Amino acid sequence: MYPAELVKPMREDLTNVGFEELHTAQEVDAAIAKEGTTLVVVNSVCGCAAANARPGARMSLQNDKKPTHIVTVFAGVDKEATDQARAHMVPFPPSSPSMALFKNGELVHMLERHHIEGRPAELIAENLIDAYNEHC
């Protein structure tokens, strides 16, 4: 587990733009079950989360169509919530960072780490925007 003071600014990268932090399995289940669309970002301390994933997620919210709900769990910190979020992302293997879009509880779009690492934030935002335009 990472110290709270280390991950605080990484959490705030998302919470400052409206992402709700989830810390328990029950919170994850409730968020994903909500009517509408829910973007779940599995946050991480890695460089690709800082350079690509979090900025891409933030940029994607500038679109006219966007998810009804935006939530985040933190890998290596919120173990229970992260494990539960990943359970909803099957058949995709666990990876962090990652992003999943759910519609009425059903997984409709997934970005795994290999889709994020080494790609510019703008490309990640574009990928998410395409998913929003289709599902939101």
Side-chain angles (χ1 to χ4, degrees), residues 9-28:
M10 298 171 205
R11 289 181 182 276
E12 290 173 348
D13 270 353
L14 297 177
T15 59
N16 285 345
V17 296
F19 279 82
E20 176 190 356
E21 287 184 301
L22 306 177
H23 304 284
T24 68
Q26 294 79 14
E27 290 173 342
V28 170

Side-chain angles (χ1 to χ4, degrees), residues 21-129:
E21 287 184 301
L22 306 177
H23 304 284
T24 68
Q26 294 79 14
E27 290 173 342
V28 170
D29 288 343
I32 290 173
K34 287 182 180 177
E35 189 173 323
T37 50
T38 302
L39 177 66
V40 178
V41 174
V42 178
N43 202 349
S44 170
V45 299
C46 72
C48 66
N52 314 82
R54 292 190 300 265
R58 288 192 316 265
M59 281 184 228
S60 75
L61 299 176
Q62 302 308 309
N63 193 47
D64 288 337
K65 288 185 174 183
K66 52 189 153 208
T68 315
H69 314 281
I70 52 175
V71 300
T72 182
V73 297
F74 209 111
V77 178
D78 301 316
K79 182 173 175 19
E80 178 187 346
T82 302
D83 288 348
Q84 190 65 15
R86 288 174 171 163
H88 286 277
M89 297 172 190
V90 170
F92 298 95
S95 68
S96 56
S98 61
M99 302 177 199
L101 184 66
F102 294 87
K103 185 171 187 172
N104 299 323
E106 179 186 343
L107 179 63
V108 294
H109 188 75
M110 183 74 189
L111 279 173
E112 299 173 82
R113 180 186 175 101
H114 70 88
H115 297 121
I116 295 168
E117 192 172 30
R119 290 179 174 76
E122 294 81 7
L123 189 60
I124 293 158
E126 222 175 271
N127 181 298
L128 290 170
I129 287 168

